Amino acid sequence: MQPRLWMATWGLVFCLIGEPLMAGSFEDGLAAQKRGDYTTALLIWKHLAEQGSGAAQYNLALMYSNGQGLAKNDAEALKWYRRAAGGGHAPAQVHLGAMYDKGLGVPRNFALAMKWYRLAAGQGDATAQTILAEIYDSGREVPQNFWQAVKWYQLAAEQGVVVAQRNLGLMFKEGRGVPKDYVQAYKWFSLANAAGDLEAAKNRDLIGERMTRDQLDQAQKVAKDWMLAKILEKAAKCRAAGSQVCN
């Protein structure tokens, strides 16, 4: 075989091999990542990311951020987080905020960190809501604002974030940002404990000693009602999605 023909033939082979990878769907990338085939996942997601897929941009950024299947590269992670975040991808906004918050791959800029945290939180991202709540609760680089802390803890707690549930219980227990309310405190401590938070259990038992029987009954009822409502909500979403099995 002539050298030029040999090179052309191998070039065609590489194209044919590469095409299925480059044309893969986002789910194909997930499957490849799950089985440890990071090269394939990277090829699929980079192709989709360059076409504007926010989910692919985000997952590609995660690979660079975690050094998964390639060298850890904060600059590349930042690049793809920015693209995804600019397109409205909430988890990417959270990660971009964290990079500015910690100065990873970029000079530290708390104002920009807060911008991206707020955008993600406003879209309902529970992680961003919890971060904002903790920032306002502690007064980290912002004026301490318990009302804002309660607002964001409440939103995250309603989504089942355990640390937000426990901290919201503390706000009600101590009357920070809200009137002191042992029934609500007991409720949130109980819910956090149901998810395995032992510190929440200690706080629940401590305030339980200060509550009347009627208050305890009410607190236990509202906690059970909350859990039942979440179970029914999940089942309804599952049915709407057409899934036969709801976990």
Side-chain angles (χ1 to χ4, degrees), residues 169 172-173 180-190 200-223:
F172 278 110
K173 174 178 176 283
K180 187 179 291 188
D181 187 331
Y182 282 169
V183 169
Q184 284 298 312
Y186 191 100
K187 165 193 169 181
W188 290 113
F189 287 144
S190 295
K202 292 178 183 177
N203 279 290
R204 178 202 60 198
D205 294 343
L206 282 173
I207 62 168
E209 295 172 359
R210 308 175 194 174
M211 297 169 68
T212 66
R213 182 69 259 170
D214 285 346
Q215 286 177 319
L216 282 170
D217 289 342
Q218 183 184 357
Q220 290 165 359
K221 182 179 185 303
V222 293

Side-chain angles (χ1 to χ4, degrees), residues 9-199:
T9 301
W10 275 107
L12 178 60
V13 169
F14 280 124
C15 287
L16 291 174
I17 292 174
E19 182 61 26
L21 297 179
M22 300 299 281
S25 69
F26 178 76
E27 289 71 22
D28 291 334
L30 284 177
Q33 183 190 46
K34 187 175 181 179
R35 64 176 180 265
D37 185 358
Y38 301 124
T39 300
T40 298
L42 178 67
L43 285 171
I44 291 173
W45 285 336
K46 191 162 188 179
H47 177 63
L48 294 174
E50 288 169 347
Q51 291 184 326
S53 166
Q57 290 165 348
Y58 171 66
N59 279 42
L60 186 59
L62 284 176
M63 291 186 78
Y64 279 112
S65 185
N66 299 326
Q68 191 176 59
L70 71 175
K72 179 178 169 64
N73 189 324
D74 287 336
E76 279 295 307
L78 182 71
K79 165 187 168 182
W80 292 109
Y81 281 138
R82 277 176 171 160
R83 290 197 187 183
H89 192 279
Q93 291 172 342
V94 177
H95 279 78
L96 183 57
M99 293 193 81
Y100 280 114
D101 199 350
K102 299 172 184 177
L104 297 175
V106 68
R108 187 172 185 274
N109 189 322
F110 187 72
L112 279 176
M114 286 294 284
K115 167 193 168 181
W116 291 111
Y117 289 151
R118 287 193 184 102
L119 284 171
Q123 292 194 73
D125 187 278
T127 299
Q129 291 167 349
T130 305
I131 291 171
L132 279 181
E134 291 177 333
I135 287 172
Y136 283 115
D137 194 2
S138 64
R140 178 167 71 88
E141 300 190 48
V142 296
Q144 194 171 43
N145 188 323
F146 294 141
W147 182 85
Q148 283 284 341
V150 168
K151 168 189 169 181
W152 295 114
Y153 278 142
Q154 181 88 44
L155 289 169
E158 289 289 353
Q159 294 193 66
V161 177
V162 177
V163 67
Q165 292 174 337
R166 186 219 308 148
N167 288 346
L168 183 58
L170 288 172
M171 304 299 273
F172 278 110
K173 174 178 176 283
E174 298 165 5
R176 290 187 288 131
V178 286
K180 187 179 291 188
D181 187 331
Y182 282 169
V183 169
Q184 284 298 312
Y186 191 100
K187 165 193 169 181
W188 290 113
F189 287 144
S190 295
L191 293 171
N193 175 241
D197 191 308
L198 298 180
E199 185 179 340

